[in-house]
Amino acid sequence: MNTSKIDRYTLKQYTRLIISFFVVLLVLTTYQYTTLYFKGVVDIIFGSSFFNAAVHQIGYASLIGVILAFPFNFWENLRPRYGFNLVFVVLILLLIIEAMLISYYCTALVPLGSDLLGYSFSDIKMTIANSGGMSISLVVGVVVIVGMFFGLYKVTSKYYHFISKMYPFTIILFSLFIMTLFMEGKPINQNKTQYLALNLYDTSTEDTSYKADVEYPLIKSQQIENVLGEYFELKEEKPNIVFVMVEGLGRDFVGEGAEYGGFTPFLDDLSTKSLYWENCLSNTGRTFGVLPSLMGSLPFGKSGFMELEKYPNKLTLYSILKNNGYHTSFLQGTNSSFDNVDRFLLSENVDYVLDKSGFGNQYTLQEEDAAGSTWGYPDKELFKKSMSIPRDAAQPRMEVYMTISTHEPFLPPNQDYYESEVEKIVDKGNYQGKIKKVIEKNDNVFATLLYTDDALKYLFEEYKKQPNYDNTIFVVTGDHRLIPIPQRNNLSRFHVPLMIYSPMLKKTRKMSALNSHFDVTPTLLALLEAKYELKTPKKVAWMGSALDMNEGYRSIKDIPLMRNKNELKEFVDGEKLFSDGSVYDIDENMDLGTSFGGSKGESKLKNFKAMNAYVTANDKIIPKDMAVFAVKEEKFTDSEIIWLNSVYDGQDSDRGYFIARDFAFDKEFDKSLLLCRYILSMAPSHIDTKILTGRVNVWRGNYKSSIEILQECIRMNPNYIDSYSALFDVYFWSDRHLEALELVELAQQNSSSVNEIADKIARAKKQARKHGVRLAQKAPKEQTKETAALVFEE
């Protein structure tokens, strides 16, 4: 008997699947609104927005129903059950994706879009791991979704009325989808998977063709006005410049009139002693853009300047000050490889970079989250570490800090104490309604703000003990506004405070005029050029101009704003904001209102996108002869590139390292070194690859190069035990017994994993005794200073 007719699933079962799919989508939508309600983001769960979201989910389910009906029918006719199983699996995957995207939205408060393409796989892994990770809740969530979907499919058999023909059914589905196109869609009520797909499509098909009237359209020769000169009593020696870029420090949390004020008392006080711009805009809505914008007034590229595959020639405050005798540094407690920070700093020949790998065992990592991950070292540990670094009083310095504590998962040291302080502040303060509810629901976020504010107070107190404090200019700003706290409008995420403080200030001033990070570097250079004889270019290509010093509110600048990587959707056109196809008026409180007048914002944004793509993709920011440090390219022959691409796709530096290591183990040293050089050209801070380069050099008999490379690895990462292990071997093979003894002290002082190389330490001591080698006796203070110099001097 032929049972294929009995086993074949029909449109009845298919429709039950689509109905079950929609009901699960509705449950996920309820989860979204419930989560946002308890976070204090929305006032009601089942309101008009929820209704709009339900309609959009109907449209999405209908669209998926139309698309999958044809493969279902084809495969069921070809092989019974195949079509049903295929659609069942696809719908489950779509539900899991939607659930993950909704979870992301509930955390970030913005939907995931084409910015996804702007991050490497390793960056995505790091972000997920340090923001909650792939915890057991994810597994539970997947099980719940699968069980709910299957259970609903079973239940629908009791209430389903049979539909016998495909085409009437598909027409109904398609009609429902068309209906939703006429519904206004906002990120909160749109299907997140559909939003992501459309966003990716729009970005990939966007026309950015540019007709250049001049080869270098950004170059300008006009002099930047020295607007800061009257406020400073500069000394004869060039001043130190210290930037502090505070993660998530939005204007809503700092200064007089802050919406969520009261949690940054030190910064509030500092703003009254500074030149303070209360209406400054970060040019990007995420951290990826703050360095190029603040230090270089640079355009964005497609996914952010630091994501460019090849950096164009450029000018930045780093390169110009270094060319004028400054010692330059960058200090953070996280991995400098994230967002390609290390590549950018390398291109600027920065003298010293401190990141997560360079702290040593005297400092305490940020507490691990539920998934066992940590971003790195909290802010006060970063500042303590920086204060331990010897500074030459005779050389001016440019030091740039990037903090991390005010970032998910918001786990400050001594969290209970700071959360209790939040509770006291709320009890004593005049917080009402929604503001109070948001603070109480996000007490860990506000506790972290208190912690970071305390850490900043510590930093400024410690700088008073440093050489030439009286000749130092401090610049404090946020990289963007804290994401998890509800935002008033599309401009809020860019709205940050900007303070310039110095013991040399003659008077303070509060400015309400609208400025951006693009304006900071041109303004500081104008101040320095007016006093000192600096070697500076006659022409520049700054995106910004002098900071507007107007005390009252005004907005007279054109400011492009990149919301996320790949998402350049906002443009400030004087007193108007063009955002996502709509035009708004910007008032003195940075609130947005419906604009009834015209705006050139849309055309300006379109023109900027085209110019931005042209100058970054074609190396047309400045010509090579204008650059202080022309772009250095690792030279690879055509045949080398073909071979490199055949063994390594360039995406995962860890994978590339293992391939290079295998070549080294097989004694194919030339191939190993070539691949190492290629990896380091893209990820210069990849420590394992650098160590491998040192090992391969010694295996080839090049002891001098090996020692230099491995010593540099220890300076990069004094806590990483593999660098010491490799260098101990080199010293043993080359009979450098005194150097080995000195290395024992250094390893014991800096590495928390020194017990892992106890055998090599014992070998070094044994060889020293055998050859009568001893360390000279030194005073403890002198010994500590020398050890520190060995680690940190460049």
Side-chain angles (χ1 to χ4, degrees):
M1 178 180 175
N2 187 356
T3 60
S4 61
K5 293 290 183 183
I6 298 173
D7 292 338
R8 180 183 182 276
Y9 285 93
T10 67
L11 206 57
K12 174 180 179 179
Q13 285 78 28
Y14 178 75
T15 308
R16 288 168 55 197
L17 284 176
I18 298 301
I19 292 172
S20 303
F21 178 65
F22 164 69
V23 175
V24 178
L25 287 174
L26 202 59
V27 172
L28 291 175
T29 300
T30 305
Y31 163 77
Q32 171 190 291
Y33 278 85
T34 302
T35 302
L36 295 177
Y37 173 77
F38 282 107
K39 290 182 72 172
V41 179
V42 298
D43 298 325
I44 188 172
I45 299 175
F46 300 108
S48 59
S49 181
F50 179 89
F51 172 76
N52 287 339
V55 174
H56 279 286
Q57 295 292 24
I58 290 173
Y60 175 67
S62 301
L63 176 63
I64 296 301
V66 171
I67 293 172
L68 294 181
F70 297 100
F72 170 82
N73 197 49
F74 173 80
W75 282 104
E76 279 299 320
N77 286 329
L78 188 66
R79 293 288 298 272
R81 294 182 179 272
Y82 272 46
F84 179 89
N85 292 335
L86 171 67
V87 170
F88 187 92
V89 171
V90 169
L91 293 179
I92 285 291
L93 290 175
L94 289 174
L95 289 172
I96 291 172
I97 291 170
E98 180 69 6
M100 294 176 70
L101 292 175
I102 285 176
S103 294
Y104 175 87
Y105 180 76
C106 289
T107 300
L109 302 184
V110 290
L112 186 63
S114 56
D115 51 315
L116 176 67
L117 301 178
Y119 292 93
S120 67
F121 182 66
S122 59
D123 281 356
I124 293 172
K125 285 196 301 183
M126 189 184 302
T127 302
I128 292 173
N130 293 319
S131 301
M134 307 294 283
S135 62
I136 189 66
S137 60
L138 177 64
V139 178
V140 173
V142 170
V143 172
V144 169
I145 287 172
V146 174
M148 190 188 313
F149 181 61
F150 185 74
L152 284 167
Y153 173 74
K154 291 292 188 183
V155 169
T156 53
S157 64
K158 299 179 181 179
Y159 305 100
Y160 174 77
H161 297 287
F162 178 74
I163 299 176
S164 60
K165 298 188 180 293
M166 173 180 289
Y167 293 106
F169 172 63
T170 56
I171 289 172
I172 292 170
L173 290 178
F174 190 71
S175 299
L176 287 170
F177 169 67
I178 294 296
M179 180 185 74
T180 62
L181 297 180
F182 295 95
M183 295 285 296
E184 182 183 3
K186 297 294 183 183
I188 189 172
N189 52 45
Q190 288 176 315
N191 176 273
K192 304 305 181 288
T193 309
Q194 187 174 337
Y195 178 93
L196 175 61
L198 291 175
N199 207 260
L200 291 171
Y201 174 78
D202 289 342
T203 300
S204 61
T205 58
E206 187 174 40
D207 179 18
T208 55
S209 56
Y210 181 72
K211 295 180 181 178
D213 298 326
V214 293
E215 187 176 5
Y216 296 94
L218 282 176
I219 288 182
K220 59 192 86 169
S221 57
Q222 68 263 33
Q223 202 69 19
I224 302 293
E225 182 184 359
N226 178 21
V227 297
L228 300 182
E230 65 178 285
Y231 297 92
F232 279 87
E233 189 72 57
L234 293 175
K235 301 181 184 297
E236 290 305 311
E237 300 81 18
K238 286 177 283 199
N240 301 318
I241 309 289
V242 177
F243 281 85
V244 185
M245 303 181 300
V246 183
E247 170 68 38
L249 186 68
R251 169 65 178 88
D252 288 343
F253 310 100
V254 179
E256 184 183 2
E259 185 177 19
Y260 295 97
F263 300 94
T264 57
F266 170 74
L267 287 177
D268 293 344
D269 181 61
L270 187 69
S271 71
T272 66
K273 301 174 181 177
S274 306
L275 297 176
Y276 170 46
W277 290 264
E278 66 172 348
N279 292 327
C280 182
L281 297 178
S282 171
N283 294 98
T284 57
R286 292 281 193 177
T287 310
F288 68 87
V290 66
L291 263 178
S293 298
L294 195 62
M295 302 296 142
S297 196
L298 290 164
F300 303 123
K302 184 174 177 61
S303 303
F305 190 90
M306 294 193 298
E307 293 295 326
L308 292 170
E309 185 174 344
K310 175 185 175 183
Y311 289 151
N313 286 298
K314 61 191 182 301
L315 292 168
T316 73
L317 192 62
Y318 263 131
S319 57
I320 292 173
L321 292 189
K322 182 177 172 66
N323 196 41
N324 284 276
Y326 275 73
H327 180 275
T328 56
S329 59
F330 179 83
L331 308 103
Q332 67 179 136
T334 58
N335 287 329
S336 60
S337 60
F338 192 80
D339 279 335
N340 291 317
V341 169
D342 54 354
R343 275 187 63 220
F344 181 81
L345 298 174
L346 182 67
S347 73
E348 291 301 289
N349 283 19
V350 172
D351 293 307
Y352 173 65
V353 176
L354 171 70
D355 74 351
K356 179 181 178 180
S357 64
F359 276 71
N361 59 6
Q362 305 99 316
Y363 302 91
T364 305
L365 279 165
Q366 177 181 292
E367 183 182 343
E368 293 181 348
D369 60 20
S373 297
T374 175
W375 276 110
Y377 290 88
D379 297 343
K380 194 168 185 179
E381 295 296 286
L382 167 64
F383 300 148
K384 285 180 180 178
K385 177 68 174 180
S386 75
M387 291 298 106
S388 74
I389 300 170
R391 289 168 167 83
D392 183 355
Q395 184 180 21
R397 305 184 307 275
M398 175 182 168
E399 300 178 348
V400 180
Y401 292 88
M402 182 72 239
T403 72
I404 190 59
S405 292
T406 39
H407 190 289
E408 295 168 321
F410 302 106
L411 295 172
N414 204 2
Q415 184 170 358
D416 290 341
Y417 165 76
Y418 284 106
E419 288 186 357
S420 68
E421 289 298 300
V422 170
E423 186 177 350
K424 292 177 185 176
I425 291 171
V426 172
D427 289 340
K428 293 178 182 178
N430 187 29
Y431 302 98
Q432 301 294 328
K434 184 176 180 180
I435 300 298
K436 184 177 182 180
K437 182 178 179 181
V438 168
I439 295 171
E440 290 173 342
K441 296 294 183 183
N442 297 276
D443 58 343
N444 61 325
V445 177
F446 290 92
T448 311
L449 273 172
L450 281 173
Y451 163 77
T452 291
D453 189 70
D454 274 354
L456 289 167
K457 182 179 180 180
Y458 165 84
L459 178 69
F460 276 77
E461 290 296 325
E462 289 299 308
Y463 258 109
K464 292 178 182 178
K465 306 172 187 176
Q466 292 294 324
N468 298 330
Y469 165 75
D470 291 338
N471 192 24
T472 302
I473 297 173
F474 296 90
V475 181
V476 180
T477 189
D479 59 343
H480 57 80
R481 182 195 184 277
L482 275 168
I483 300 296
I485 303 302
Q487 301 169 33
R488 286 176 292 137
N489 54 54
N490 287 1
L491 201 57
S492 293
R493 70 180 305 160
F494 305 100
H495 189 192
V496 296
L498 172 65
M499 305 174 202
I500 296 181
Y501 169 79
S502 174
M504 294 179 286
L505 274 177
K506 293 190 292 184
K507 53 183 176 179
T508 63
R509 183 181 175 109
K510 175 184 173 184
M511 281 67 63
S512 296
L514 194 62
N515 292 276
S516 82
H517 282 166
F518 280 156
D519 304 318
V520 175
T521 280
T523 303
L524 286 175
L525 281 175
L527 172 69
L528 297 177
E529 285 178 291
K531 171 70 176 178
Y532 309 101
E533 290 191 14
L534 299 183
K535 293 181 286 184
T536 56
K538 301 300 180 188
K539 296 183 178 181
V540 294
W542 308 130
M543 290 292 301
S545 57
L547 285 163
D548 190 342
M549 303 293 293
N550 203 58
E551 286 185 295
Y553 171 76
R554 72 176 178 185
S555 180
I556 58 175
K557 295 176 181 280
D558 287 347
I559 307 173
L561 302 170
M562 179 174 263
R563 186 186 304 177
N564 292 304
K565 295 183 181 182
N566 282 314
E567 291 189 345
L568 187 50
K569 295 185 175 183
E570 275 85 18
F571 195 96
V572 172
D573 173 26
E575 294 184 347
K576 297 184 183 295
L577 171 71
F578 177 80
S579 176
D580 268 341
S582 300
V583 180
Y584 305 93
D585 289 322
I586 310 171
D587 69 16
E588 65 275 9
N589 298 315
M590 300 296 279
D591 288 324
L592 302 181
T594 302
S595 177
F596 296 102
S599 170
K600 297 180 180 178
E602 183 173 10
S603 61
K604 286 183 177 181
L605 178 58
K606 184 177 179 181
N607 292 337
F608 172 76
K609 284 182 176 181
M611 183 276 295
N612 172 63
Y614 166 75
V615 298
T616 53
N618 298 288
D619 193 7
K620 297 298 182 183
I621 297 179
I622 59 171
K624 185 176 181 179
D625 59 3
M626 276 182 58
V628 176
F629 301 116
V631 173
K632 295 179 181 178
E633 294 184 57
E634 281 285 355
K635 300 295 184 182
F636 299 100
T637 66
D638 292 341
S639 60
E640 285 175 338
I641 288 293
I642 292 173
W643 178 81
L644 286 165
N645 291 338
S646 72
V647 299
Y648 172 53
D649 60 14
Q651 295 301 309
D652 186 342
S653 49
D654 288 337
R655 176 176 172 271
Y657 159 72
F658 287 120
I659 296 171
R661 190 184 66 174
D662 289 342
F663 280 125
F665 287 168
D666 292 338
K667 301 191 184 305
E668 297 188 69
F669 298 138
D670 289 340
K671 288 183 177 180
S672 179
L673 288 175
L674 174 61
L675 184 51
C676 285
R677 187 159 61 92
Y678 185 63
I679 296 167
L680 292 172
S681 71
M682 295 177 293
S685 63
H686 198 269
I687 187 72
D688 286 321
T689 302
K690 289 184 75 73
I691 294 171
L692 179 61
T693 303
R695 287 188 180 278
V696 173
N697 267 279
V698 77
W699 292 339
R700 298 181 68 179
N702 193 342
Y703 289 93
K704 184 173 184 245
S705 293
S706 177
I707 290 171
E708 289 175 354
I709 292 167
L710 294 173
Q711 285 179 341
E712 182 186 355
C713 290
I714 291 174
R715 282 194 294 269
M716 279 178 58
N717 187 341
N719 185 46
Y720 197 44
I721 200 63
D722 285 10
S723 304
Y724 298 99
S725 177
L727 191 53
F728 271 122
D729 288 336
V730 178
Y731 285 156
F732 174 70
W733 294 329
S734 58
D735 294 326
R736 288 173 167 84
H737 307 301
L738 176 59
E739 289 91 334
L741 271 188
E742 292 171 341
L743 188 62
V744 170
E745 287 198 351
L746 197 62
Q748 290 173 336
Q749 177 180 336
N750 289 311
S751 180
S752 56
S753 306
V754 71
N755 59 302
E756 295 179 14
I757 56 168
D759 56 335
K760 295 188 178 184
I761 289 175
R763 182 182 66 184
K765 291 179 177 179
K766 179 180 179 181
Q767 290 297 313
R769 288 194 300 270
K770 180 178 178 182
H771 293 87
V773 175
R774 290 189 307 168
L775 287 175
Q777 292 296 316
K778 301 174 186 175
K781 185 175 181 181
E782 180 186 357
Q783 192 170 2
T784 301
K785 183 177 179 181
E786 180 172 309
T787 305
L790 175 62
V791 178
F792 296 114
E793 70 183 4
E794 295 295 328

